Amino acid sequence: MSLEGKLALVTGSGRGIGRAIALKLASQGVDIIVNFFRHRDSAEQTAKDIEALGVKAEVIRANVGDPAKIDEMFDMIGNKFGRLDILISNAASGVGRPVVDIDVKAWEWTMDINARALLLCAQRAAKLMEGRGGKIVSISSLGSRFVLPNYTIVGVSKAALEALTRYLAIELAPRGICVNVVAASAVETEALKFYFKEGLVKNNRQVTPAGRMVIPEDVANVVAFLCSEEAFMIRGQTIIVDGGTSVGLFTLAGK
Amino acid sequence: MTIEEQIREIIAKITRVDKSIITRESTFKEIKADSLDVVQALVAVEETFGIEIPDEEAQKFQNFGDFVSYVENRVAQEEKV
C-alpha cells in the first residue's frame, strides 16, 4: 500500500486528527503540506515529525473559511510543486449553541470552514491533479446524521460535506479522482476538550461497543487506505469509524 | 487613528456594542464577545496590521488592554525589522 513520492495537502494538520493523518501518510512516503490557521507551533512540530520520517514537509497558514486564503494557498502549491496527488479536507471549526440561539454569523463561520472549504479546495485540487488523477478525503462526524446536544450547525455542515462528497465523487470520477469521506464519533483530541467545555459531547467511553474511544490514528488508518489504489472502487462513500457506537444505539441506550 | 482605536472599532463592529463602552480594562465577557467573536476579531486585527497572533498568545489576554498592548508591541517589532 505504498504511496511513495506522492504529495498531499492536509488542512488543519497541526493537531489532532489532521496531524495523525499527515504522519500516517508521511510514514507511507508521502510529502506533506501542513496547513494550519491558529496554532503555528503545533504545525511546525507536525512538520518536524514528518521530516523525521524521511519525507518533505511544507507549512502553509490559511483560514480555509476564506476563499481568498484558499486561493493563495493553492497558488503557492501550484507555483512551488505544480501538482497535488492527495487532498485531505480536515480543518474544522464550530460554534456550540442550541437551535434557537444560532445566528447568521455562527452559521456562516461554521459552514464556510466545514463545508464550503471542501468545494473550493476540491476545485483547485482537481486542476493540480489534471492528467494524473488523485484522492480527496474529508473528515465528517456522526453529528451529520445523529442529533448531538448543541451540535446543530456543525452537524448540518457535516451533512453538507457528505452530500458534497457524493457529487464530487461522480463529477470528478472521469478525471481519475476518488472522493470519499470518513465520519468519526467523538475522537480523543484537543478539539474534544473544547466540545466537552461547550457541552457538545459527554464522555462516551462507556457507550462505545469497541470498549475505548476513537483515537486520531483510527481515523488516519482509514484515510490512508482510501488514498491507496486498493480503495480505487470506493467512491462517494461515508465510511464510519466509531467503534460500533452508531449501530449499537439501541442496545446501549440503557448504559 | 491609533492602534488602540483601530482595534476598538474592529471589536465594536464584530460584537455590535457601542465602542465607547470598550476600555482597556474591559474583559471580552464585558464586551459581550463570545469565542467566535474573539477569533474573528483576532483574524481582522491580523489582517489590518499584517501580523500573526497565535492562539497560544491570544489565550493570555485578560482584557482589551492586553490585546492592544500585544498588537502594539508586535507592530513595533515589525517596524524595527
Side-chain angles (χ1 to χ4, degrees):
Chain A
M1 207 163 78
S2 176
L3 296 169
E4 199 83 36
K6 303 278 188 194
L7 175 66
L9 164 64
V10 185
T11 67
S13 49
R15 306 184 300 164
I17 297 170
R19 173 184 153 84
I21 293 169
L23 291 173
K24 178 73 186 181
L25 292 176
S27 74
Q28 296 188 0
V30 180
D31 293 328
I32 309 287
I33 299 161
V34 177
N35 157 261
F36 78 100
F37 175 31
R38 303 290 330 151
H39 300 272
R40 178 175 288 279
D41 289 353
S42 307
E44 283 174 353
Q45 186 59 51
T46 299
K48 267 186 210 154
D49 296 342
I50 288 167
E51 283 166 349
L53 293 167
V55 293
K56 292 183 194 127
E58 181 85 28
V59 175
I60 302 185
R61 182 178 197 236
N63 170 13
V64 296
D66 182 341
K69 303 293 177 198
I70 290 178
D71 276 337
E72 280 172 22
M73 176 166 67
F74 277 92
D75 287 348
M76 182 276 187
I77 296 170
N79 292 336
K80 183 149 190 181
F81 302 98
R83 68 184 172 102
L84 188 68
D85 301 295
I86 296 167
L87 163 66
I88 309 297
S89 186
N90 162 77
S93 187
V95 180
R97 286 184 197 166
V99 172
V100 291
D101 294 332
I102 294 168
D103 57 18
V104 171
K105 195 163 69 175
W107 174 272
E108 287 181 344
W109 173 266
T110 310
M111 293 297 281
D112 289 354
I113 292 177
N114 294 5
R116 191 180 65 186
L118 171 63
L119 174 68
L120 300 180
C121 288
Q123 287 171 340
R124 292 294 305 260
K127 285 184 189 149
L128 291 171
M129 292 172 180
E130 198 80 59
R132 54 192 300 119
K135 316 287 178 189
I136 297 176
V137 182
S138 56
I139 305 302
S140 183
S141 76
L142 283 189
S144 66
R145 61 187 72 190
F146 299 108
V147 172
L148 308 171
N150 292 338
Y151 198 76
T152 307
I153 322 181
V154 182
V156 171
S157 72
K158 295 299 192 185
L161 185 75
E162 291 175 13
L164 178 58
T165 294
R166 291 187 280 273
Y167 283 93
L168 288 169
I170 300 307
E171 293 200 16
L172 298 181
R175 299 170 184 232
I177 299 172
C178 303
V179 189
N180 290 289
V181 50
V182 176
S185 55
V187 180
E188 283 198 279
T189 61
E190 284 295 311
L192 191 70
K193 289 179 192 160
F194 166 80
Y195 283 120
F196 274 126
K197 207 171 79 189
E198 298 266 315
L200 291 177
V201 289
K202 294 196 170 71
N203 189 340
N204 73 345
R205 231 170 245 113
Q206 300 84 0
V207 295
T208 304
R212 64 165 173 83
M213 285 189 73
V214 177
I215 57 173
E217 289 71 20
D218 295 320
V219 180
N221 289 339
V222 178
V223 170
F225 171 66
L226 290 172
C227 291
S228 72
E229 285 313 298
E230 282 87 341
F232 184 77
M233 292 304 280
I234 302 175
R235 305 290 178 109
Q237 296 303 307
T238 301
I239 311 295
I240 294 177
V241 179
D242 70 350
T245 302
S246 58
V247 290
L249 284 176
F250 292 103
T251 58
L252 293 161
K255 289 197 179 177
Chain B
M1 224 187 323
T2 64
I3 288 174
E4 179 171 339
E5 284 162 354
Q6 288 183 75
I7 299 176
R8 185 176 282 112
E9 291 246 333
I10 288 168
I11 292 181
K13 200 173 161 195
I14 288 170
T15 58
R16 292 181 187 161
V17 299
D18 191 313
K19 62 182 178 186
S20 64
I21 71 156
I22 306 174
T23 69
R24 286 188 83 99
E25 288 70 42
S26 303
T27 63
F28 291 119
K29 201 177 170 188
E30 283 161 358
I31 306 168
K32 298 191 173 29
D34 62 20
S35 56
L36 175 55
D37 293 327
V38 173
V39 174
Q40 290 189 323
L42 288 167
V43 173
V45 168
E46 286 176 340
E47 287 184 357
T48 302
F49 298 101
I51 57 169
E52 188 180 316
I53 310 170
D55 265 12
E56 295 83 354
E57 294 297 325
Q59 280 158 5
K60 296 177 195 161
F61 303 158
Q62 300 286 328
N63 53 34
F64 176 72
D66 291 348
F67 190 0
V68 171
S69 300
Y70 178 84
V71 176
E72 284 170 343
N73 286 334
R74 288 293 307 278
V75 171
Q77 278 171 17
E78 294 288 318
E79 279 166 1
K80 269 186 212 159
V81 176

